[in-house]
Amino acid sequence: MKTFSYLKFIVHIIISFLPLGISKPSNIYLDLTHVDSGRGFTKLELLQRMTFRTNARTTALVSKTVKPTNPLSTPIHPGNGDVPYDREYLVSFSIGTPPQSVMLTLDTGSDLIWTQCVPCIQCFEQGLPFYNPSNSSTFAYLSCLSDLCTSLSMAACHQQCFYLYEYGDGSATLGSVSTETFTFGSKSKVAVPDISFGCGFLNGGVFVSNESGILGLGRGPISLITQLGFGAFSYCFTSLFGSKSSPLVLGPATNFYNNSIKSTPLILNPTSPSFYYLNLTGITVGKSLLHIPPSSFALHDNGTGGVVIDSGTAITVLNDEAYKLVRKAFVHQVNLSIANESITYLDLCFTLPKSSGKVEVPKFVFHFENVDLELPRENYIYEDRSSQELCLVMISSGDTSTIIGNYQQQNMHILYDIQNEKISFIPAQCDKL
Ligand SMILES: *[C@@H]1O[C@H](CO)[C@@H](O)[C@H](O)[C@H]1NC(C)=O
Ligand SMILES: *[C@@H]1O[C@H](CO)[C@@H](O)[C@H](O)[C@H]1NC(C)=O
Ligand SMILES: *[C@@H]1O[C@H](CO)[C@@H](O)[C@H](O)[C@H]1NC(C)=O
Ligand SMILES: *[C@@H]1O[C@H](CO)[C@@H](O)[C@H](O)[C@H]1NC(C)=O
Ligand SMILES: *[C@@H]1O[C@H](CO)[C@@H](O)[C@H](O)[C@H]1NC(C)=O
Ligand SMILES: *[C@@H]1O[C@H](CO)[C@@H](O)[C@H](O)[C@H]1NC(C)=O
Ligand SMILES: *[C@@H]1O[C@H](CO)[C@@H](O)[C@H](O)[C@H]1NC(C)=O
């Protein structure tokens, strides 16, 4: 069965690429745009928005009882307009024949691909026209008997396969499971037929970046990466304060590197099988390996705890036990006085001296199984001369869970080798990749 659908996929690829003059693709390149890119925010506002989103996402994702250590007690409105609760990057491509543009938010923490679809019963506002299946010659509803329909836990069958998909932040989409031709790439186009996706006609929640839906890149059977059968993808986030787009590569990035790259194993959490869990064994701040008990990062049998790497969490949240020790180490090792309260909404900030010299900060290393990842200074420190603040860009989850966020992933090419269940981190200048 598996072999058959794989062969069918290859045949489809070959056929569909003939008219476009492309032979077998080994991977597909896409551009990611940060949700706040090009919207005129200052560096401080960008950071405030990231902190705000991280607090909101963590509160929603981790558990309903989480209280972030840095509760945003006073109502804040960083920048202007609403702040989306999660999902930091947008990706554009087309669906259908002729192609209709969609702009979806990237989510490595979920599997379904969906876009808003007419006729809408309830759709939120989006920048692009709604996808209209009746204008596409390649649209098809998916049979209720299909594996994908049955694998969607909320699927219901009334001649078509209907789905209901909910997210941690309360957003949800309801619609028909369908198949379409997806056309990727801005320069060289790559068309892939028969991708299953959600044609969502009743959608609600927090969608304020002009997106038209969500692109699931999780580990489950219905995610884009699983459907493409590539077994790997990678991204490389440019500076969160810059305006350049970041590359997303679907498929292996083996043409970039040779076999000598180090990797750390992926761990599966049966309770949340979409997420990419890592084996974090310790943290070094400055010269000292912190005395964090190994159990602190453990993934428990009941699905709690553990360490997730995520594309949709802006700032790393450490479990409360580890965060307290990291905080203590910074307080101990940074030779500055602690700022009483910070306009960044971060938990730990120091007051910078008026003199302009560069302040020493301790190094920061994540020790993953097989891989020690020393972060560049700009991946964990925020410095603002005008407000005279230097801050640690990490917060506590308030419980036992840990999420590695985007701030800590800047200018690193992160390779997700799903097939071999491992991840690699390669320092890179992402706009030059
Ligand atoms: C798509 O179809 C709708 C009616 O279903 C029609 O009003 C619209 O003009 C069509 N758009 C295109 C680009 O063909
Ligand atoms: C949404 O799109 C409109 C029109 O393209 C644009 O004016 C607006 O700035 C966009 N909003 C966001 C949040 O990107
Ligand atoms: C891998 O690449 C690095 C840098 O490009 C090079 O120094 C090294 O010799 C290569 N190793 C192998 C096994 O090819
Ligand atoms: C899950 O398991 C851990 C470790 O055994 C335990 O400390 C925690 O209370 C459990 N949580 C729930 C919600 O059962
Ligand atoms: C810490 O700062 C004070 C005052 O700025 C300075 O006198 C002292 O030498 C510094 N200590 C270290 C270890 O850098
Ligand atoms: C911190 O702020 C509080 C209230 O704003 C004030 O009473 C206290 O003196 C401040 N402490 C320092 C060290 O600045
Ligand atoms: C994590 O890595 C440590 C050190 O290599 C190892 O002892 C431990 O068994 C690993 N844990 C899991 C869940 O793989």
Side-chain angles (χ1 to χ4, degrees):
M1 187 67 190
K2 275 222 172 88
T3 319
F4 173 72
S5 51
Y6 180 68
L7 285 176
K8 196 172 138 204
F9 174 66
I10 295 290
V11 168
H12 267 300
I13 291 215
I14 291 166
I15 290 169
S16 68
F17 289 156
L18 290 177
L20 292 164
I22 298 166
S23 55
K24 191 168 167 268
S26 58
N27 45 33
I28 294 170
Y29 289 72
L30 293 164
D31 283 338
L32 299 173
T33 317
H34 191 254
V35 285
D36 284 339
S37 175
R39 297 178 65 191
F41 295 117
T42 65
K43 201 175 164 188
L44 174 63
E45 284 168 342
L46 287 167
L47 184 78
Q48 288 172 329
R49 293 170 64 85
M50 287 176 221
T51 316
F52 182 80
R53 283 195 293 266
T54 302
N55 271 314
R57 177 168 170 104
T58 310
T59 309
L61 253 192
V62 177
S63 83
K64 295 202 168 61
T65 57
V66 169
K67 288 199 188 63
T69 45
N70 178 24
L72 304 166
S73 45
T74 48
I76 58 159
H77 301 284
N80 45 36
D82 285 323
V83 181
Y85 280 134
D86 59 12
R87 301 180 292 268
E88 294 278 314
Y89 289 91
L90 298 164
V91 55
S92 297
F93 57 94
S94 303
I95 298 183
T97 311
Q100 301 178 39
S101 296
V102 295
M103 186 160 74
L104 308 185
T105 48
L106 178 74
D107 190 7
T108 55
S110 65
D111 292 332
L112 184 68
I113 311 159
W114 65 274
T115 190
Q116 301 204 94
C117 227
V118 288
C120 286
I121 295 173
Q122 182 196 305
C123 288
F124 52 85
E125 270 185 53
Q126 64 177 49
L128 294 163
F130 295 120
Y131 164 78
N132 189 340
S134 58
N135 292 357
S136 172
S137 61
T138 39
F139 174 87
Y141 290 113
L142 203 65
S143 150
C144 290
L145 299 174
S146 64
D147 289 347
L148 282 177
C149 184
T150 47
S151 76
L152 275 162
S153 54
M154 292 297 236
C157 190
H158 298 283
Q159 291 164 332
Q160 295 159 28
C161 174
F162 292 98
Y163 71 89
L164 169 65
Y165 205 82
E166 293 173 291
Y167 296 87
D169 68 353
S171 301
T173 172
L174 173 69
S176 309
V177 186
S178 315
T179 61
E180 255 296 15
T181 297
F182 281 33
T183 305
F184 300 104
S186 44
K187 291 176 200 119
S188 57
K189 300 244 184 281
V190 177
V192 184
D194 292 337
I195 304 260
S196 300
F197 75 110
C199 178
F201 48 73
L202 207 166
N203 317 301
V206 192
F207 299 97
V208 292
S209 328
N210 274 350
E211 69 264 55
S212 55
I214 294 177
L215 182 71
L217 269 188
R219 301 176 74 177
I222 58 173
S223 87
L224 178 64
I225 201 66
T226 309
Q227 287 196 55
L228 287 173
F230 280 151
F233 71 95
S234 60
Y235 54 66
C236 193
F237 297 147
T238 55
S239 166
L240 287 163
F241 299 119
S243 55
K244 294 197 167 112
S245 64
S246 299
L248 168 68
V249 183
L250 304 175
T254 41
N255 49 333
F256 288 87
Y257 312 103
N258 54 30
N259 286 330
S260 58
I261 50 174
K262 280 190 164 184
S263 59
T264 185
L266 281 170
I267 295 172
L268 187 71
N269 180 358
T271 314
S272 305
S274 303
F275 288 121
Y276 296 94
Y277 280 87
L278 301 178
N279 184 4
L280 180 62
T281 56
I283 290 174
T284 289
V285 174
K287 291 194 183 71
S288 50
L289 175 65
L290 303 182
H291 296 290
I292 304 171
S295 61
S296 181
F297 297 116
L299 175 62
H300 303 301
D301 289 342
N302 58 20
T304 65
V307 178
V308 172
I309 178 161
D310 188 26
S311 68
T313 300
I315 290 168
T316 291
V317 292
L318 296 174
N319 70 64
D320 200 46
E321 186 178 33
Y323 178 75
K324 282 185 174 130
L325 292 166
V326 167
R327 188 186 199 281
K328 204 169 143 191
F330 272 90
V331 169
H332 192 69
Q333 296 181 41
V334 174
N335 190 19
L336 296 172
S337 57
I338 299 175
N340 214 341
E341 63 186 25
S342 167
I343 51 172
T344 62
Y345 309 116
L346 288 164
D347 177 57
L348 180 61
C349 290
F350 301 91
T351 307
L352 279 173
K354 290 220 163 58
S355 62
S356 57
K358 190 167 181 177
V359 173
E360 288 287 314
V361 293
K363 70 172 182 178
F364 187 98
V365 187
F366 280 124
H367 302 286
F368 296 107
E369 183 179 352
N370 294 340
V371 169
D372 294 329
L373 181 64
E374 181 171 348
L375 298 181
R377 179 186 175 110
E378 59 276 15
N379 283 18
Y380 61 102
I381 294 292
Y382 172 82
E383 250 167 309
D384 190 341
R385 285 281 160 191
S386 57
S387 66
Q388 281 182 265
E389 282 188 303
L390 182 146
C391 306
L392 171 67
V393 190
M394 272 178 218
I395 53 178
S396 164
S397 66
D399 67 6
T400 58
S401 55
T402 298
I403 307 172
I404 312 284
N406 307 145
Y407 203 91
Q408 280 62 37
Q409 299 176 37
Q410 295 175 87
N411 283 318
M412 243 185 290
H413 192 188
I414 304 186
L415 315 183
Y416 290 68
D417 183 349
I418 305 164
Q419 200 167 13
N420 301 304
E421 303 193 319
K422 57 188 192 179
I423 279 194
S424 304
F425 303 90
I426 295 140
Q429 222 181 314
C430 293
D431 56 336
K432 302 255 165 68
L433 207 64

